[in-house]
Amino acid sequence: MEEYIKKAKVLIEALPYIQKFASKTFVIKFGGSIASDNGLKESFIKDVILLKLIGINIIIVHGGGKEIDGLLKRLNIGINFHEGYRLTDEHTMEVVEMVLSGKINKDLVALINKFGGRACGLSGKDGNLITARKIKTEKIELGFVGEVKRVDKKILLALDPSFIPVIAPVSMDEEGNTLNINADLVASAVASELEAEKLIILSDQDGLLDSGGKLISSVKTADIKDLIGKGVIYGGMIPKANSCADAVKSGVKKVHIINGSVLHAILLEIFTKKGIGTQISN
Amino acid sequence: MEEYIKKAKVLIEALPYIQKFASKTFVIKFGGSIASDNGLKESFIKDVILLKLIGINIIIVHGGGKEIDGLLKRLNIGINFHEGYRLTDEHTMEVVEMVLSGKINKDLVALINKFGGRACGLSGKDGNLITARKIKTEKIELGFVGEVKRVDKKILLALDPSFIPVIAPVSMDEEGNTLNINADLVASAVASELEAEKLIILSDQDGLLDSGGKLISSVKTADIKDLIGKGVIYGGMIPKANSCADAVKSGVKKVHIINGSVLHAILLEIFTKKGIGTQISN
Amino acid sequence: MEEYIKKAKVLIEALPYIQKFASKTFVIKFGGSIASDNGLKESFIKDVILLKLIGINIIIVHGGGKEIDGLLKRLNIGINFHEGYRLTDEHTMEVVEMVLSGKINKDLVALINKFGGRACGLSGKDGNLITARKIKTEKIELGFVGEVKRVDKKILLALDPSFIPVIAPVSMDEEGNTLNINADLVASAVASELEAEKLIILSDQDGLLDSGGKLISSVKTADIKDLIGKGVIYGGMIPKANSCADAVKSGVKKVHIINGSVLHAILLEIFTKKGIGTQISN
Amino acid sequence: MEEYIKKAKVLIEALPYIQKFASKTFVIKFGGSIASDNGLKESFIKDVILLKLIGINIIIVHGGGKEIDGLLKRLNIGINFHEGYRLTDEHTMEVVEMVLSGKINKDLVALINKFGGRACGLSGKDGNLITARKIKTEKIELGFVGEVKRVDKKILLALDPSFIPVIAPVSMDEEGNTLNINADLVASAVASELEAEKLIILSDQDGLLDSGGKLISSVKTADIKDLIGKGVIYGGMIPKANSCADAVKSGVKKVHIINGSVLHAILLEIFTKKGIGTQISN
Amino acid sequence: MEEYIKKAKVLIEALPYIQKFASKTFVIKFGGSIASDNGLKESFIKDVILLKLIGINIIIVHGGGKEIDGLLKRLNIGINFHEGYRLTDEHTMEVVEMVLSGKINKDLVALINKFGGRACGLSGKDGNLITARKIKTEKIELGFVGEVKRVDKKILLALDPSFIPVIAPVSMDEEGNTLNINADLVASAVASELEAEKLIILSDQDGLLDSGGKLISSVKTADIKDLIGKGVIYGGMIPKANSCADAVKSGVKKVHIINGSVLHAILLEIFTKKGIGTQISN
Amino acid sequence: MEEYIKKAKVLIEALPYIQKFASKTFVIKFGGSIASDNGLKESFIKDVILLKLIGINIIIVHGGGKEIDGLLKRLNIGINFHEGYRLTDEHTMEVVEMVLSGKINKDLVALINKFGGRACGLSGKDGNLITARKIKTEKIELGFVGEVKRVDKKILLALDPSFIPVIAPVSMDEEGNTLNINADLVASAVASELEAEKLIILSDQDGLLDSGGKLISSVKTADIKDLIGKGVIYGGMIPKANSCADAVKSGVKKVHIINGSVLHAILLEIFTKKGIGTQISN
């Protein structure tokens, strides 16, 4: 009995957080190594279903780099990147879309449904959710690589609140080309359009790290420029910090970068005072 | 961190129960010794708020015998009972109503609001929620003692789903007399009218006890007669068992009798497989 | 037949007033000697039900000084006032709340229901209707005496339009203390929050009286200062006039002070051109 | 003041009737000599607006025999009747429709609007409200004379509850012919389709009269056959009694035949216990 | 088969226009010689029903000069005009209303219903749709001739989207006089109030003609003054051009003047790039 | 001009069909050779958008055999069939799903959106649209081949009426296995669940052919058994005829089998009296 009462107390401890976030919107970027670990994936799915049940509107955006590479290899299609962008010709694009919209997306949907949730898979094409445009770089032709031009949230509103939308980061530009978009960009654009309470990015690191490799627990958007100037935020952390700051400036209340390889990472981040990763807010 | 992950797992363990009961209705009879223990009362209130937040419609019905006796004594009004019924003359009735509707009811409302819920106190008079009729006994005139003739759920529906209704068991008969009604009867009648998923009775005992004083964990309404015949259910347990069976027959899915003096008794009963008290169902 | 036709003509005479006020909101402060005269109370209740039926949203706020004194005396608790405020210690507050929320409030609800209306009793605690704060005076500690800090009309809107809310002027401050508030202040705050068409105050006098004791039929808020300066409005009439003016400035269209001891005083005030009391407007 | 209080009491006397009929539907057949008396017409209009304001859904069906005759004469078109039916050739039908839909209907609409109501004139053609069929008689060709085949209440529901529909008894059959229908038949069919609380027929007589010329205050449909057999109801009263009984059998709660030439006849009928005319019910 | 495929292609050609105008509002002024040609009228009605079915909200306003003259002659009432206004005494007004509201209006309603639409005839009186005021001219008393003072769109919204409102240009002023209003003015006022996508005026000419008698296909409101100055728009075209410009300035997106005597004129104007008449827009 | 009027007449000819089918539901099975002919596909898409715009609820179910074979070959996975069923091991299933849900489905969605429609791609997994079960055959293990156990139309209703759902015939069974289902079966099950007006099957043949190879224009479900007995319907036509009859028995009003390789085949079938294929109804 003692054991049970202790558990009940844990539930009660969560009460103030549940009260705080009920009927708010969280956009979660799912990706990285968590995607290929079934235990982590299942714990993630259960976290999401729990959050949905206590009244939080959850939207998931996923990536899928590893599985794309796998199928490209099996089909003997070359894999090339330029400054983080996948060089994407027509054949590559076809594979990217099949893997993202036809495999990873449907797997996540199936898993959520299996544990009692009600998910609906979408790509940026469905209901014109995302209108993309090609990214132009000076030196090199990236091919069918896009960024978000416009988000039409109509289909998200139609599905809410019964369903959990799961979004694959593929969409069309206005000429009808299918484009591959970075999942972080899609998650950030959707969160901004919905003026989400939180954008949570599951990463393979603990969050933003300072020059000494230590986790930065919390940072204000106004201080980021200064921290970059001082070299505290440096290197590969700079674009991450900037893109999170952009999301906050576009209307997201708080951005969280957390380590997806921690069991129940999302619950820990949301249901504890300090959280486990980095929080960026105004 | 380990500690936190363990807590997160506790939340996830609750998931199947939350999924099962979301958007169902629970009527809870609050009373007994829990009412005079501030710690227990606060843990009860938090349980209720948690259940409301995860989507369960909660309705509370309370009694208040001790506090009524207290005020009667201070006013030098005699206290008399007949077979469990309070002999209730006009002066007694006035005191009963002031204590139930004006003190205990408002205290519960205030406490729920204090912890972030949104309660609305009602008596059976408000919105004609309960139409009562006098109980007639052969030997003795009980006075202003009633039973439930009719429940008009309109006001409960108007308040739902933002508010937690808290009901004082006082109402009027069709002649306009104010009557004192047993809180168990009111809770059972409201639960039946709403075809509630659960009627939970907080008692001072662990549940229905058999002739050996052992807790009966679960009993089917069909078996109750037999158990009484065999002497397993006996004495004061007989009317309790019968009235629970009546509630089930009138449309309540399950009746729970639990010991209100256990911390978080409601969560333990609902969020564990076996529960801690007695369950009566068809 | 002639008699009946004459009566029908009376109904028809009311037509323009009914057309004018349909779907408007009236907040009525009920109190004073009318509360202890059953005939007057019944005529008041019927007036209210009639107004509700012709489409006016009615909200009643009641006081209860006399009955509070009665119970305090029976309990040998001292009765003390300071500049119109009841000195209210914890024991007094308990009595005040039981009488207001548990007796007078429920009596009014019962009476409205008896004559075919559908009332719902509320205190300022229910649904957080009123958040109070303690009144601080320089010389003396008043105890649990409050004023209105904030009105949350959510519960009034949930009940409307089927029910007549009846409000007892007791509420909590943000520390969780129960406070006793002047019923006029509550009525005025509720009327302001709802931008009511009318705030009608049932008083023991005919309305505002001038220095010659004559009724002031109608006064503009802009003229009140001048009339006070000239001594036309003087003495105890000054605070009354000022508080009515405040209500008008906060959004109430018109404040009426009328003599509650006139039979059907409300109908006479509303359904005749000149009315029977004092009207304050911009 | 005494005078005013007396008037207020009259309003209060109406209370139980207002409570009884709020949100019920009354279909009123307007016609006969009242139509050509401006005073009576105005008192009728005010009665109707009052009833609408206290929450009764009012639908008016009007006739117009006299004015039709007037225009026919001015156009030198012959006027002929057969067993109560107007022999209606194409030229006559054109005149009938212009007078009913273009004159009397719009006059009533204008008058209701003038006194603060909000009427909408309809003919049986509008929104396919009434589908008619030609009446076939054995001996003689009646021409464009119809009866009600079907009522489509859709347009009445679209207009309700803001508007008072005013219906001219002209409609089409399924071949597209415009037909003239007896207003009593239209009123009865509309009342049946809406399962109206009351069908009120304004007539030039006090109601159904017995063989001695005395008013029959109230009669049950089950007794009508017997009263006809006994000769109590006889002659021209027989078809009237039968058609009222039919309306009751088709779902109207009560049919009232009253003398439209009594000032405020409708109010007198509805707001007094006995009424002034004949009531037919099951 | 070839023939059918060609027809299907015609349907598909209409697709972009259907997409463009779905859920927009068109106000159509029906009148002129089309009114007396049954073939044209039927083709017009079918056009209207088609437009309604593809999701365009259609409102028709009709005139009726010829038929009014016809009845006036049969009744030996003089017919006189002054600067385009019909001199309208009381007798004339009665005839005007009967013909417009009781004949032409109901004929159009019947025809729409016959072909499967669902029309509802209205005059400016119904639901207070149009409040008129008398036109005052300096030299001569025009009688009951009005212009639009105010449009109350409430009844149009109540009917939408199931019904096609058909409006007769007769209404009341605030003194209760019935006034005859030019149908163009009514159509323009209704279109402005609804901020219609299009006001389409069926005329007996091809549109606005220039001084050489050639059709002006399209004109901007800003250029009209200039074209008048240059004499391109001249004579009787000037007031037409000005009133169309006024409608555009009051919120109508585009005004079309087209020749109603062309079969399916409306479809041709809307479903072809250039249209067949004159378009006036900003 | 003549040309345009002729085109307008074609639109008007479609009127009765549009009236008949407005707000009805059509489920269309898209597949066969049409899928690989861009011209046919585009004409099909436009037909669908047109039907949606005139108020028909369209749901598309697609297959995709050829493209699945293509990718299987590129991946050196064997292609085997047994009695029409694809032998589907885990690797094959992965390819089937990627092609159906990630390629063909998204291509159709993109094409509809490109021409101004608003499609949303779904697989049977999304929102638990289809719960499948494995098909068991006696002789051979088919692998991940399923049939429809249950349709949950909730997500279709959430999307309606703004979106055109496009469904890939892949789903899960209750054990969480992904199964490949025949698209005809999915279309038929969805049409039955929605009690669709029409189930239209785009085939590579003109419809059901009799033993002489002649098209059977129309057949009643009651006659099918007889026609099979007589050998009129024979061979491969028998299962087709039976499955269409089953759909009709399960609530679909009419099933159409048409040749998808005819331009605008759907419009021709629906907007002409006789149609171009075979109609099966009760």
Side-chain angles (χ1 to χ4, degrees), chain D residues 131-159:
Chain D
T131 302
R133 73 180 144 221
K134 276 197 183 173
I135 293 181
K136 303 282 180 202
T137 54
E138 284 185 12
K139 300 178 198 162
I140 199 169
E141 166 60 33
L142 296 172
F144 296 95
V145 176
E147 60 190 357
V148 177
K149 185 177 175 190
R150 199 169 52 240
V151 174
D152 180 346
K153 65 184 168 185
K154 197 168 180 221
I155 198 165
L156 298 177
L157 301 180
L159 292 173

Side-chain angles (χ1 to χ4, degrees), chain E residues 187-214:
Chain E
S188 176
V190 169
S192 300
E193 181 68 21
L194 295 171
E195 297 185 352
E197 181 72 18
K198 294 191 181 305
L199 165 61
I200 300 169
I201 296 170
L202 294 184
S203 128
D204 286 346
Q205 284 177 312
D206 286 342
L208 286 183
L209 304 181
D210 67 16
S211 51
K214 244 190 70 192

Side-chain angles (χ1 to χ4, degrees), chain D residues 71 74-75 94 97-98 102-103 106 109-110 113 118-121 125-128 152 154-155 162 172, chain E residues 71 74-75 94 97-98 102-103 106 109-110 113 118-121 125-128 152 154-155 162 172:
Chain D
L71 186 58
R74 286 168 66 196
L75 290 165
E94 189 188 24
E97 184 169 28
M98 284 196 300
K103 185 162 167 44
K106 297 310 172 193
V109 166
N113 292 352
R118 198 187 272 266
C120 177
K125 293 177 175 179
D126 291 306
N128 285 326
D152 180 346
K154 197 168 180 221
I155 198 165
S162 297
M172 287 204 302
Chain E
L71 186 57
R74 286 167 67 195
L75 290 165
E94 190 189 23
E97 184 168 28
M98 285 196 301
K103 185 159 167 46
K106 297 310 172 193
V109 166
N113 292 350
R118 198 187 272 267
C120 178
K125 293 177 174 177
D126 292 306
N128 285 324
D152 181 347
K154 198 168 179 220
I155 198 164
S162 297
M172 287 204 300

Side-chain angles (χ1 to χ4, degrees), chain C residues 18-83:
Chain C
I18 298 178
Q19 290 177 315
K20 193 170 161 194
F21 297 126
S23 86
K24 295 298 187 344
T25 296
F26 289 10
V27 176
I28 303 171
K29 154 67 197 310
F30 170 87
S33 51
I34 177 178
S36 44
D37 177 321
N38 282 337
L40 285 173
K41 201 154 64 173
E42 192 176 311
S43 98
F44 164 75
I45 293 296
K46 286 181 174 173
D47 289 3
V48 159
I49 292 174
L50 182 70
L51 295 178
K52 181 79 180 174
L53 273 167
I54 60 179
I56 299 172
N57 297 317
I58 299 289
I59 290 156
I60 297 171
V61 179
H62 63 83
K66 283 187 191 170
E67 306 216 29
I68 292 167
D69 289 354
L71 186 57
L72 286 172
K73 275 176 201 158
R74 287 167 66 195
L75 289 165
N76 293 315
I77 299 174
I79 300 173
N80 299 293
F81 283 86
H82 172 76
E83 289 179 2

Side-chain angles (χ1 to χ4, degrees), chain D residues 98-115:
Chain D
M98 284 196 300
V99 171
L100 288 176
S101 298
K103 185 162 167 44
I104 298 176
N105 187 273
K106 297 310 172 193
D107 281 356
L108 278 172
V109 166
L111 213 54
I112 292 175
N113 292 352
K114 185 178 159 192
F115 287 106

